[in-house]
Amino acid sequence: MDGQTSQGTRRPRSTPPHAIVIGSGFGGLAAAVRLGARGYKVTVLERLDAPGGRASVFRQDGFTFDAGPTIVTAPFLFEELWTLCGRRMADDVELREMNPYYRIRFHDGEVFTYSGDPEAMRAEVARISPDDVAGYEGFLKASEERFRIGFTELAHAPFGSVMDMLKVAPDLLRLSGYRSVYDLVAKHLRNERLRTIFSYHPLLVGGNPFAASSIYAMIAYLERHWGVHWAMGGTGSLVKGLVGLIEGQGNTVRCNADVARILVKDGRAVGVRLASGEELAADIVVSNADSAWTYRHLLAPEERHRWTDRKVERSRYSMGLFVWYFGTNRRYDDVTHHTIMMGPRYRGLLDDIFNRKILADDFSIYLHRPTATDPALAPEGCDAFYALVPVPNLDGGPDWTGPATEQFRQRVQRHLSATLLPGLEQSVVTSKVMTPLDFRDRYLSLKGAGFGLEPVLLQSAWFRPHNASEEVKGLYLVGAGTHPGAGMPGVLSSARVLDTVVPDAAALA
């Protein structure tokens, strides 16, 4: 803006350029830290009453629940943020590596223990299918190769032009990026249960294993490479730590500040208007809001040429999530921190969720028991849980405003009681539910999608909303809906891309 505010008045040269960050999820908080380290004055605007976005925290009846992400798989991306501020992450947050990473339980009770121990993993594969051990090793090599390209080389690179996409096209073809994760796994493994175990990872970032590009098979190696970690105190400890870094830089995180419009002048973002009517000027605007919501609701239609209302509405979105947070007046010490409970169907259930968009009679559950590692998150002698169930987004599924919500919660409760948590009905002492409606209304996620745009090939990299907006100069996007995508490594990497596409503060002073 060459030293001008949105009203055209001259800003003193001694004043640093101002960056507004919309939203305080991990992408927004990481962006704020990085911009602050590069000399920007930063204001983070959060519409909720506390920072964190989808990584916010619920406290109820003495229990602490992480609202969303629970697994830290690339800790160096967090550690970098502390380093930028001249501090050590370990002084503020304790990361504890999980062992095992998680257990995968099939509907008949068979369990696969998934860990970072190579010998233990080979033994688990051999126990289920001795003939697939060599295939498993082949799959790991394929996963590592995709990690080297998809994460190490591309996750932190901007895809601002079609030429950027053409440069990586040979690698995508060589790595069969046009094939699905499931197809890649099936190429190496014959046993159907092993195919399920090693192909489900795209669900962690909102993708259908039968549709997500095989590039996403890199997640298996990413876990092996850095491990699976838990932040003691819960995800909220990471949020608190990042807010502390931002405030330590002299910058601001402002809650209860609902952005209604990104202001544009002469094709450049110059600030925002809040729902209250207040206007704030800025030299650059970074949106950590859902990318589809940003374009559909925060940027005026006349400012958009690629991400029109029609294109946004017709894009493919990830599944919805039904999440039941509950606490018990007893402990279930034989249940691990992370358990994935597979239903009787795999491909058919995912087809119902992603394509037919119906709520099926069966379901799969990710059961999170943080008190297995961190007992302080519940009163003494108690356990905290959440049960996360993939469901259709709001393009289909039931009417979550009616009795369907409680009926479905009871179905989940009965299933847990009959399997891993006997006597659960009599043990629950606190309860809270989130449905796709809550994701739409609380997090402003279009169609109530749990992870924004679905990670398919033609909605990845250049095809995804760009980190440097294609529509308006001075507008940048971070978070799950932009490149490289969802998951903690994805959203933190999206903020890292800003180091390449956002000019240094000195250039705007």
Side-chain angles (χ1 to χ4, degrees):
M1 282 175 44
D2 299 323
Q4 292 186 350
T5 69
S6 60
Q7 288 77 30
T9 57
R10 203 74 181 169
R11 184 186 63 243
R13 294 258 177 202
S14 60
T15 303
H18 185 209
I20 285 178
V21 178
I22 304 169
S24 66
F26 280 133
L29 295 176
V33 171
R34 289 184 174 277
L35 292 169
R38 295 174 64 197
Y40 282 86
K41 174 189 175 186
V42 184
T43 303
V44 181
L45 301 174
E46 171 56 57
R47 66 185 294 270
L48 300 177
D49 60 1
R54 300 184 199 204
S56 58
V57 175
F58 300 124
R59 292 182 175 88
Q60 186 169 290
D61 300 326
F63 293 82
T64 300
F65 301 102
D66 284 322
T70 63
I71 297 173
V72 179
T73 50
F76 82 93
L77 289 170
F78 281 108
E79 291 164 353
E80 275 187 354
L81 301 174
W82 265 261
T83 300
L84 286 171
C85 298
R87 294 171 58 180
R88 293 175 65 250
M89 180 180 175
D91 292 337
D92 296 324
V93 180
E94 179 191 351
L95 290 183
R96 188 167 295 182
E97 186 167 4
M98 298 286 92
N99 185 27
Y101 293 167
Y102 26 77
R103 289 204 173 113
I104 300 172
R105 183 188 188 278
F106 289 91
H107 67 282
D108 62 1
E110 183 176 30
V111 173
F112 184 98
T113 300
Y114 200 114
S115 72
D117 183 329
E119 290 301 324
M121 285 292 285
R122 277 191 287 269
E124 283 290 89
V125 170
R127 180 176 58 80
I128 290 180
S129 176
D131 293 340
D132 273 322
V133 173
Y136 163 68
E137 297 287 358
F139 166 70
L140 268 189
K141 290 179 181 177
S143 176
E144 180 178 4
E145 190 171 18
R146 282 153 181 79
F147 168 82
R148 299 293 181 199
I149 300 295
F151 187 84
T152 305
E153 295 184 18
L154 302 181
H156 309 120
F159 279 82
S161 75
V162 71
M163 288 303 299
D164 295 326
M165 197 70 191
L166 292 175
K167 289 176 185 176
V168 304
D171 281 329
L172 291 175
L173 289 171
R174 179 173 59 82
L175 298 176
S176 303
Y178 53 87
R179 299 178 65 180
S180 73
V181 170
Y182 181 86
D183 286 343
L184 175 69
V185 173
K187 175 183 175 183
H188 293 277
L189 298 167
R190 295 182 180 180
N191 181 274
E192 196 58 43
R193 290 204 162 172
L194 292 178
R195 289 177 173 181
T196 298
I197 290 165
F198 293 105
S199 70
Y200 85 89
H201 284 94
L203 289 163
L204 301 176
V205 294
N208 182 348
F210 294 92
S213 166
S214 64
I215 295 297
Y216 289 95
M218 68 180 175
I219 298 174
Y221 185 79
L222 187 148
E223 290 179 336
R224 168 68 67 85
H225 187 64
W226 281 303
V228 171
H229 303 263
W230 167 254
M232 295 300 287
T235 309
S237 66
L238 290 166
V239 172
K240 180 181 178 182
L242 292 173
V243 171
L245 295 182
I246 294 165
E247 293 176 344
Q249 293 172 319
N251 293 318
T252 303
V253 178
R254 179 177 165 185
C255 295
N256 297 305
D258 188 4
V259 174
R261 181 69 79 192
I262 296 169
L263 301 175
V264 178
K265 182 179 180 181
D266 299 329
R268 176 176 288 275
V270 295
V272 300
R273 180 186 302 120
L274 303 186
S276 65
E278 180 185 359
E279 293 190 1
L280 301 172
D283 294 272
I284 66 168
V285 175
V286 178
S287 181
N288 181 221
D290 177 59
S291 62
W293 186 273
T294 297
Y295 283 133
R296 182 69 176 82
H297 295 287
L298 299 187
L299 200 62
E302 60 268 24
E303 305 294 349
R304 293 181 274 123
H305 306 286
R306 180 181 179 191
W307 293 99
T308 61
D309 290 356
R310 184 173 184 271
K311 179 175 176 61
V312 170
E313 293 290 343
R314 289 169 64 90
S315 295
R316 291 174 58 173
Y317 291 86
S318 64
M319 75 284 201
L321 300 174
F322 179 97
V323 193
W324 177 33
Y325 308 88
F326 61 97
T328 60
N329 58 10
R330 54 166 290 190
R331 289 182 59 84
Y332 290 88
D333 287 321
D334 55 343
V335 177
T336 54
H337 192 125
H338 305 291
T339 305
I340 297 163
M341 304 176 69
M342 293 292 182
R345 297 184 303 149
Y346 186 47
R347 185 193 294 263
L349 176 60
L350 293 173
D351 187 53
D352 285 345
I353 293 169
F354 282 90
N355 301 321
R356 299 177 67 202
K357 291 186 167 57
I358 61 171
L359 187 66
D361 292 334
D362 56 323
F363 46 78
S364 292
I365 300 173
Y366 162 52
L367 183 65
H368 178 227
R369 179 180 171 246
T371 39
T373 305
D374 207 346
L377 299 178
E380 187 175 356
C382 299
D383 262 336
F385 293 90
Y386 79 49
L388 182 152
V389 184
V391 296
N393 63 37
L394 294 177
D395 274 339
D399 176 7
W400 295 109
T401 63
T405 297
E406 176 58 16
Q407 290 169 358
F408 193 70
R409 188 203 66 79
Q410 290 181 11
R411 285 172 55 194
V412 172
Q413 179 176 268
R414 286 194 297 269
H415 181 71
L416 291 172
S417 184
T419 52
L420 287 182
L421 307 178
L424 180 60
E425 294 94 333
Q426 294 77 39
S427 303
V428 172
V429 292
T430 192
S431 176
K432 178 181 176 66
V433 168
M434 287 186 67
T435 74
L437 278 179
D438 295 290
F439 279 80
R440 184 195 69 187
D441 298 339
R442 178 177 172 83
Y443 302 130
L444 304 185
S445 180
L446 208 67
K447 301 179 187 292
F451 301 87
L453 291 168
E454 184 182 350
V456 293
L457 185 61
L458 294 182
Q459 291 188 166
S460 298
W462 180 81
F463 298 105
R464 216 163 176 78
H466 297 177
N467 302 98
S469 173
E470 315 95 294
E471 309 287 12
V472 173
K473 292 180 180 178
L475 173 62
Y476 303 90
L477 275 65
V478 295
T482 186
H483 172 71
M488 282 200 210
V491 299
L492 294 173
S493 294
S494 72
R496 210 175 187 221
V497 174
L498 297 189
D499 289 351
T500 303
V501 298
V502 174
D504 286 334
L508 298 181

